[in-house]
Amino acid sequence: MQILGLSAYYHDSAAALVRDGRVVAAAQEERFSRIKHDPAFPSRAVQYCMEMANNSPIDYVVFYDKPFLKFERILETYLSFAPKGFATFRAGLPVWAKEKLFQRSLLLKELKAVAPGRFSSEQLLFSEHHLSHAASAFYPSPFEDALVITMDGVGERSTTSVGIGNGADLQILRELDFPHSLGLLYSAFTTYTGFKVNSGEYKLMGLAPYGQPRFAQTILDNLIDLRPDGSFRLDQRYFSYCTDLKMFNTRFTELFGEPARRPEAQLTQFHADIAASIQHVTETVVLSICRAMAKETGQKNLCLAGGVALNCVANGKIAAEGLFENIWIQPAAGDSGGAIGAALAASHLHLKLPRSPLKPDGMASCALGPEFSQSEIEDILNHEGAKFLVVPDNELWQDTATALANGEVTGWFQGRMEFGPRALGQRSILADPRDPAMQKKLNLKIKFRESFRPFAPSVLEEDAADWFDLSFPASPYMLMVTTVSEKHRNIGEQEAQARDNIIDMDIPRSDIPAVTHTDFSARLQTVSHQDNPRYYELLQAFKKTTGCPILINTSFNVRGEPIVATPAEAFRCFMATDMDRLVIGNCVLKKSEQNQSLATEYHLHQEAD
């Protein structure tokens, strides 16, 4: 039984293939179209999934939400606020009338364009948005039973939902509805600090440690009414997302005393304090929900999904709280993961297929995308005019580790492409975390992005507890934040707090300063041989060379661009940046040996994220 899951038409469109309840393939459309967060129908991702179906029939296609329910919510919202917002409603109505309300016809038309004669209306199913998220979290988890919490901006109408998974069954117990949304509250502050919604939330989270949460109580007193059971309500007098295309109004800006920051304008300590404040409130709300649900249900396992589940700082706080024995978070927790969840929900809830949890989980280390054979890589690089050497595995690890130890920034392209927002060692840019100047170099000369943004460490799983304060056994998907252990810190807690600001951001704080944030935090990826054998071997070689089992791991792209998907894209990115070395499969490319006429500045044409 093969089921194709789809998410589309909002952001991060994706397709996923599930075979007999197992995730076989998944990819985001942005990787093929090269449009960041592409919302279009995922034609090329569907085509890839169909290729992975091995020419066998696809039995059902499942869309990740129900458009009619979403339209009901929009209509009810307009009626609640009418006549305010009529202009926005009138402008959006033709789109709904033409596309959204007749999505079955639109989806069938798109599917037939990809594969004429392969799909019929009877094969098309629809899941609910939060059920898709919940299914994406529970069914691939290693748990027989679990509490499942989904938090995002909004689905059809739900913004937060709580469910229980047991075997093949999954039931949503309660929901919090629009307009009361933790995701939209966080997005309002994302916009207020000058970043893009559905893109800049990572920046806001990264900015927070440079500030003090001096506005947290202001937010709790005025914007959000948080109840003891974790439920909450937002005071809509401060927001305009119900009636306009803007997130907040002048009452909101007056509350904090400064106008919204313009994109790309100077960041100040005020913005860092705002970021710290909303991050603190977010953690408070998330922990309140988890505490209440842990007490009510008695569940020892927790699964998380939805965009808020990508807030890895909050995730780390949940783990540190010790409310649950085990936590598993869907790596593609945002809308792209809804494609996986929709297909899994259909498998187990509609078709009643049995479920046997997999260890360590059912996401195959997120290596679910396309891959290239060694001969294909060589052909593509030759076509691009690249100069390279083919190095056998037993030399490749040590050769690359030595280059990294010597300060070379290295592009690393191996195996199947990752699914989700994180590069996990298949499409990564790697560097030495011991170099105090490396964080700024990577931001400004490689990624072409804001200098404050932190980088994540990849560490050998068996060495993680020696370098980091762990409240969880592993973090293979880079979804948990912890702190660098005290024995590897260079300054004390008191001095760190005194220098916890934007001005002192460049002061080295540990033996691995390039991945140590201002509060000693780090967004950790643990790597085992089972997770990623080639990346594991490289980390082992780097440890043998330097004594340090850690590398900087950031996504293989420049700012505003999706992660590279092909060897050709990797080579062009390599030639447009200050990367020193590129390793694709067993092909090793050195920048100094390339034809410099192939260098470009294509990053200048990428839209800022």
Side-chain angles (χ1 to χ4, degrees):
M1 183 69 68
Q2 296 196 120
I3 301 176
L4 180 68
L6 301 176
S7 66
Y9 305 129
Y10 184 46
H11 61 87
D12 295 304
S13 294
L17 180 68
V18 168
R19 181 182 301 139
D20 298 328
R22 304 292 191 216
V23 184
V24 173
Q28 291 153 264
E29 188 67 8
E30 68 165 22
R31 305 294 175 86
F32 304 98
S33 68
R34 311 310 299 158
I35 300 170
K36 189 83 166 176
H37 304 300
D38 193 347
F41 180 83
S43 300
R44 280 161 282 196
V46 167
Q47 191 170 23
Y48 159 68
C49 288
M50 291 182 65
E51 291 168 1
M52 294 297 291
N54 297 326
N55 295 317
S56 299
I58 291 175
D59 300 280
Y60 291 96
V61 180
V62 192
F63 193 67
Y64 81 131
D65 72 8
K66 293 185 176 181
F68 275 105
L69 292 181
K70 187 173 289 187
F71 183 71
E72 278 183 11
R73 184 256 299 170
I74 291 172
L75 185 59
E76 288 172 6
T77 300
Y78 165 66
L79 292 174
S80 298
F81 286 87
K84 193 175 182 181
F86 176 70
T88 304
F89 178 78
R90 183 177 59 185
L93 189 60
V95 177
W96 274 94
K98 182 180 179 182
E99 297 179 4
K100 310 289 187 177
L101 288 178
F102 299 98
Q103 210 150 79
R104 176 178 290 274
S105 299
L106 178 62
L107 288 168
L108 286 170
K109 178 182 177 182
E110 297 281 13
L111 287 166
K112 289 175 180 177
V114 175
R118 287 287 297 272
F119 299 103
S120 66
S121 180
E122 292 73 24
Q123 291 174 280
L124 186 56
L125 305 174
F126 291 82
S127 176
E128 290 194 25
H129 188 97
H130 269 230
L131 180 61
S132 296
H133 276 314
S136 79
F138 175 63
Y139 289 125
S141 79
F143 311 138
E144 181 64 32
D145 58 89
L147 174 69
V148 187
I149 300 177
T150 296
M151 298 168 284
D152 62 5
V154 61
E156 291 89 359
R157 64 175 69 239
S158 297
T159 66
T160 303
S161 64
V162 177
I164 296 290
N166 194 328
D169 189 42
L170 175 61
Q171 299 292 327
I172 302 298
L173 302 180
R174 65 184 62 172
E175 297 174 310
L176 184 67
D177 288 346
F178 182 88
H180 308 294
S181 166
L182 184 59
L184 291 177
L185 176 66
Y186 203 86
S187 292
F189 282 90
T190 301
T191 304
Y192 183 55
T193 49
F195 304 127
K196 281 187 178 180
V197 173
N198 296 324
S199 174
E201 284 79 6
Y202 299 121
K203 300 184 189 182
L204 193 65
M205 183 174 63
L207 182 62
Y210 295 113
Q212 298 297 323
R214 60 188 177 97
F215 298 105
Q217 198 59 48
T218 301
I219 297 170
L220 289 167
D221 288 343
N222 295 275
L223 301 185
I224 181 169
D225 177 20
L226 178 60
R227 314 287 172 77
D229 65 353
S231 64
F232 57 88
R233 296 182 67 83
L234 300 186
D235 189 337
Q236 291 302 308
R237 292 178 300 169
Y238 293 90
F239 302 95
S240 53
Y241 55 76
C242 287
T243 58
D244 201 347
L245 299 178
K246 298 176 182 178
M247 293 300 299
F248 53 83
N249 55 34
T250 55
R251 188 191 294 263
F252 182 101
T253 57
E254 289 169 357
L255 183 64
F256 299 105
E258 287 199 19
R261 172 179 169 262
R262 297 188 310 278
E264 310 302 318
Q266 179 71 35
L267 282 165
T268 68
Q269 194 60 47
F270 169 80
H271 301 116
D273 291 347
I274 285 288
S277 300
I278 186 57
Q279 180 63 35
H280 177 83
V281 170
T282 298
E283 293 164 15
T284 300
V285 175
V286 169
L287 284 170
S288 294
I289 294 170
C290 288
R291 289 183 191 122
M293 292 300 100
K295 182 178 180 180
E296 179 179 324
T297 65
Q299 284 289 331
K300 301 301 182 184
N301 301 318
L302 172 67
C303 295
L304 295 174
V308 176
L310 293 172
N311 192 306
C312 48
V313 181
N315 297 340
K317 295 291 176 68
I318 298 171
E321 185 95 352
L323 297 168
F324 304 93
E325 293 178 4
N326 305 291
I327 300 173
W328 194 85
I329 305 162
Q330 166 54 242
D335 275 13
S336 61
I340 286 178
L344 288 171
S347 298
H348 299 297
L349 298 178
H350 180 71
L351 298 173
K352 305 298 182 183
L353 296 182
R355 170 180 177 259
S356 298
L358 296 177
K359 303 289 185 180
D361 59 52
M363 282 297 290
S365 300
C366 276
L368 295 167
E371 64 180 328
F372 297 83
S373 68
Q374 181 63 26
S375 61
E376 287 174 323
I377 292 167
E378 293 177 26
D379 288 345
I380 291 168
L381 291 177
N382 281 321
H383 183 266
E384 292 293 318
K387 297 180 180 179
F388 59 90
L389 289 176
V390 178
V391 179
D393 284 352
N394 59 346
E395 297 176 23
L396 185 68
W397 322 129
Q398 189 57 54
D399 180 49
T400 307
T402 300
L404 287 162
N406 290 333
E408 293 192 23
V409 177
T410 300
W412 183 254
F413 187 110
Q414 303 290 328
R416 294 182 70 178
M417 182 174 68
E418 302 98 332
F419 181 63
R422 309 293 191 210
L424 300 170
Q426 282 99 342
R427 305 289 185 272
S428 294
I429 297 173
L430 309 176
D432 188 344
R434 303 169 303 155
D435 183 349
M438 190 57 75
Q439 188 249 7
K440 182 166 282 189
K441 178 182 177 181
L442 286 173
N443 271 325
L444 300 180
K445 300 293 186 180
I446 310 295
K447 304 284 282 188
F448 303 105
R449 68 186 197 183
E450 301 91 343
S451 62
F452 75 84
R453 291 174 65 177
F455 288 100
S458 293
V459 60
L460 291 170
E461 185 174 290
E462 59 267 30
D463 290 315
D466 181 56
W467 285 82
F468 301 94
D469 302 317
L470 296 186
S471 54
F472 42 84
S475 177
Y477 297 121
M478 211 182 283
L479 286 168
M480 292 282 193
V481 162
T482 185
T483 49
V484 176
S485 63
E486 192 168 345
K487 70 178 180 179
H488 290 291
R489 298 179 187 181
N490 292 337
I491 62 175
E493 191 80 38
Q494 190 172 359
E495 183 183 356
Q497 289 178 359
R499 296 177 177 275
D500 198 9
N501 54 59
I502 289 180
I503 296 173
D504 293 326
M505 63 183 291
D506 295 327
I507 294 174
R509 287 167 165 78
S510 77
D511 296 336
I512 44 172
V515 293
T516 304
H517 217 342
T518 183
D519 57 353
F520 298 115
S521 65
R523 175 164 50 90
L524 189 63
Q525 179 197 7
T526 56
V527 180
S528 69
H529 195 273
Q530 182 179 3
D531 291 337
N532 190 331
R534 293 179 74 80
Y535 193 29
Y536 180 87
E537 293 291 347
L538 176 60
L539 282 161
Q540 283 275 31
F542 189 75
K543 178 184 177 182
K544 180 181 177 181
T545 302
T546 65
C548 177
I550 301 165
L551 286 171
I552 299 173
N553 177 10
T554 188
S555 55
F556 200 145
N557 62 329
V558 298
R559 180 186 180 189
E561 178 193 32
I563 296 173
V564 298
T566 69
E569 290 161 7
F571 178 69
R572 292 166 198 160
C573 185
F574 172 63
M575 294 302 294
T577 68
D578 283 351
M579 269 187 272
D580 304 289
R581 180 177 291 240
L582 174 59
V583 182
I584 307 182
N586 289 83
C587 296
V588 177
L589 296 79
K590 299 178 181 179
K591 179 65 67 64
S592 59
E593 297 175 355
Q594 303 307 311
N595 182 347
Q596 292 307 304
S597 68
L598 299 175
T600 69
E601 293 186 333
Y602 82 90
H603 65 279
L604 297 176
H605 305 293
Q606 300 293 333
E607 184 180 354
D609 58 0

